[in-house]
Amino acid sequence: MNQSEVEAFVARLDNVQRDENYGYIFFFIGDDHQRGFVTIANSDNEYDSVSNLNRDGVFRVNIGVSKATYKSVIGSATIERVDFTALNEFLPHPDYWKQHYVCILNPTAENEELTKELIIEAHSIAANRLKRKRNS
């Protein structure tokens, strides 16, 4: 998947809002932009250069998943031993791993379908949070 394909996939999900800020593309559920579930980064900035995104064509998809999914995808990898520049490998997010965000640079081949599944899960989690907020 290239970046445009990832963006198009996310945009087709229900009630998705898109915003660009700080060099990232953010995807939210609802128009209040408080339930972000996917971000895409395609260049380094002063706060985030660990993935070396300034390489030609390299982008990172960050996906917020459940704790159980996080553990099944990441396993027991510790943040200290992660090569955040690795392509097509699911990694803990460099900053938001404690919130169960995974990331992948340039998902291809065998990881395209799992990337889509994780995005759908993240969308569902965010939609459920919005529903709970509206019902409270």
Side-chain angles (χ1 to χ4, degrees), residues 1-68:
M1 300 175 80
N2 63 38
Q3 181 176 331
S4 296
E5 291 169 329
V6 174
E7 290 179 46
F9 179 80
V10 177
R12 285 191 299 269
L13 299 172
D14 187 45
N15 198 21
V16 171
Q17 304 289 320
R18 178 179 187 225
D19 197 5
E20 292 186 42
N21 212 338
Y22 306 108
Y24 299 96
I25 300 168
F26 296 89
F27 292 94
F28 300 91
I29 295 289
D31 57 6
D32 63 359
H33 291 200
Q34 295 203 0
R35 273 150 296 282
F37 63 98
V38 171
T39 60
I40 299 174
N42 60 17
S43 64
D44 291 339
N45 62 48
E46 64 183 292
Y47 305 106
D48 183 356
S49 61
V50 68
S51 296
N52 192 17
L53 297 174
N54 286 339
R55 294 175 284 168
D56 190 38
V58 175
F59 66 100
R60 186 179 70 217
V61 183
N62 308 306
I63 310 166
V65 296
S66 70
K67 183 177 183 177

Side-chain angles (χ1 to χ4, degrees), residues 61-109:
V61 183
N62 308 306
I63 310 166
V65 296
S66 70
K67 183 177 183 177
T69 298
Y70 180 90
K71 286 184 176 185
S72 73
V73 171
I74 301 302
S76 60
T78 61
I79 200 81
E80 296 81 18
R81 297 183 181 191
V82 174
D83 176 4
F84 289 107
T85 66
L87 300 176
N88 195 37
E89 184 177 326
F90 285 100
L91 307 168
H93 186 280
D95 296 313
Y96 298 107
W97 59 274
K98 287 183 180 181
Q99 289 82 14
H100 310 120
Y101 271 77
V102 299
C103 64
I104 186 167
L105 281 65
N106 295 43
T108 59

